[in-house]
Amino acid sequence: IQLTQSPSSLSASVGDRVTIACRASQGISSYLAWYQQKPGKAPKLLIYAASTLQSGVPSRFSGSGSGTDFTLTISSLQSEDFATYYCQQLNFYPLTFGGGTKVEVK
Amino acid sequence: EVRLVESGGGLVQPGGSLRLSCAASGFTFSDHYMDWVRQAPGKGLEWVGRSGNKAESYTTEYAASVKGRFIISRDDSKNSLYLQMNSLKTEDTAVYYCARGGLVAATFSGDYWGQGTLVTVSS
């Protein structure tokens, strides 16, 4: 299963609403997770099962979608949110990650 | 507190072998799927493979790029996960992360991650 994230990068300001898309090459039900990664650090789980917020993750993060089209939304971007975001499908082996979306300061 | 600590990385020649270890603590290790994920320098995340939990009879799955060369195993008595890497190629150069999966298969690769260990394959 191929996961295509768009855009591959974006520039945004603190307070902006940010939306990242992830499209699967075939239907994966709701078996999708989102991760945030900062330089030199391990990834951090944000959302699983497409829309379930991981414990401790701020509520400004939300996920939606099912089948082939998914979205990660940051409702009001904070300074600590500048990072790279990855989606991952868990419906079929081998598991796969999207190519990543880098959120940069505008 | 959940902790995952990888070890065993280093420099190895092409065609060589290396064994990574991941020491887990702070949770019931046998209940969880455990994954290996890698990241080549400046690149994105790549899932390497996983070990199922005790309930799933420790079934293993692999990425196509490592199948037949890498072997994942675990020792629940030692709360440890292993990655035996054989026939290493230069394209296997990456930081390797150990990650705790869910209690069932299709949830996530990692709600907790280790700090990563660097494997460099070069002559």
Side-chain angles (χ1 to χ4, degrees), chain A residues 24-103:
Chain A
S25 58
Q26 65 185 79
I28 57 170
S29 186
S30 295
Y31 298 115
L32 189 99
W34 290 96
Y35 301 85
Q36 175 194 69
Q37 188 181 33
K38 296 181 179 179
K41 300 294 187 181
K44 174 186 176 182
L45 177 67
L46 299 176
I47 286 167
Y48 62 94
S51 61
T52 301
L53 196 66
Q54 171 67 359
S55 175
V57 174
S59 59
R60 63 181 179 273
F61 291 93
S62 64
S64 64
S66 67
T68 59
D69 291 301
F70 301 86
T71 301
L72 174 71
T73 300
I74 309 172
S75 60
S76 178
L77 195 69
Q78 301 301 300
S79 58
E80 60 266 33
D81 301 336
F82 292 101
T84 300
Y85 294 84
Y86 295 93
C87 57
Q88 181 196 29
Q89 70 82 19
L90 298 107
N91 196 44
F92 298 104
Y93 289 114
L95 308 187
T96 46
F97 286 94
T101 295
K102 188 174 184 179
V103 177

Side-chain angles (χ1 to χ4, degrees), chain A residues 7-22:
Chain A
S8 56
S9 66
L10 65 90
S11 299
S13 301
V14 171
D16 285 353
R17 182 181 181 88
V18 169
T19 300
I20 298 169
C22 177

Side-chain angles (χ1 to χ4, degrees), chain B residues 3-53:
Chain B
R3 285 197 72 200
L4 299 170
V5 179
E6 301 97 338
S7 60
L11 175 64
V12 61
Q13 292 188 337
S17 297
L18 207 59
R19 189 195 196 206
L20 305 184
S21 299
C22 171
S25 60
F27 64 100
T28 304
F29 184 70
S30 61
D31 284 350
H32 285 262
Y33 285 73
M34 295 296 298
D35 286 16
W36 288 99
V37 176
R38 69 184 181 182
Q39 187 167 37
K43 301 297 184 182
L45 301 174
E46 181 184 13
W47 180 78
V48 173
R50 88 175 355 179
S51 168
N53 57 11

